[in-house]
Amino acid sequence: MENNIPANIANILHRIETAAIHAQRQANEIRLLMATKTVSPDRIKIALATGQTLIAENKVQEVKEKFEALQAIPHESHFIGHLQTNKINELLRYDIQCIHSMDRLDLAKKLQTRLEAQNKTMSVLIQVNTSGEESKYGCSPQDTLSLIKEIHQMPSLQIKGLMTIGANTQDEHTVRQCFQLLKSLQNQAQEMLGTALPELSMGMSGDLELAIEEGATIIRVGSAIFGQRSYTNV
C-alpha cells in the first residue's frame, strides 16, 4: 500500500486541477488536506515526501501518539474531529495550527480561556451541519451567524472560514446544496463582520469536484490516499 501513496496523491491533485479548470479557478487556490486517521507515522512520512504538507487528525490521542515521530518533518497539522472540552488542554500541547470543528459556544469559550492563559492564538473554522443529518456534528445553519459573531469577539480565536461535510448520498444536487449553503453563510458572515473569512473546508474524494465548483479552498482526503483504514492498529 505504501508504494501507492504517491500515485494516489498525484491522482487526487490531478482531479483537483481538472475541477479547478472546469470551475474557472486556479488550482493553487485549493489545498489538499490529508486526513491521517489510523495512518501510521511511517506512511504519513511517505505522503509528506511528495511535497504535500497539510495533514489532519480526528482524535487527540492520535495527535499525541504521532507527534514525536513527525516533529522533525516540516508540515502543517490541523484537527478535524469533534473536540470535547475536556481534551482542549491536551490538544494545545501539540503544534496544531487550525481546528476545523468549532461548532458550539461552550467549546469556544473554554478554548479562549486556555489560549489566553498561555498567551496563544488559534485559527478555527466554524463547522456547520449543512445536511441536517443527525449523525453529523456542526452548528445548525440558522445558528451559524450568531456563533460567528460571538467567537469573533474572542481575541485568542481567529476565524479563518467555515467547514462542512456534504450529505451522505449519491444525489449530486443534494450534496451541491450543502456546499452552496456553506458558501452563502460565508458571504453573509463576511458582510456581517466586514472582514474576509477566506477558507471553505468542504469536499472529500467522492465529491471534491462539486465542492471546488462551489468554492472549496480545502479538500479533505483520507482513504483515497492511504487505502481503506484499519481500526485495529490505532
Side-chain angles (χ1 to χ4, degrees), residues 28-43:
N28 61 12
E29 299 173 355
I30 303 151
R31 298 186 72 189
L32 171 60
L33 181 153
M34 301 185 293
T36 51
K37 181 179 180 180
T38 78
V39 180
S40 70
D42 285 345
R43 294 173 68 221

Side-chain angles (χ1 to χ4, degrees), residues 108-122:
K109 287 178 176 178
K110 289 177 180 177
L111 183 57
Q112 162 64 29
T113 298
R114 293 307 306 153
L115 288 166
E116 191 172 28
Q118 297 178 24
N119 196 28
K120 292 181 179 179
T121 61
M122 176 68 73

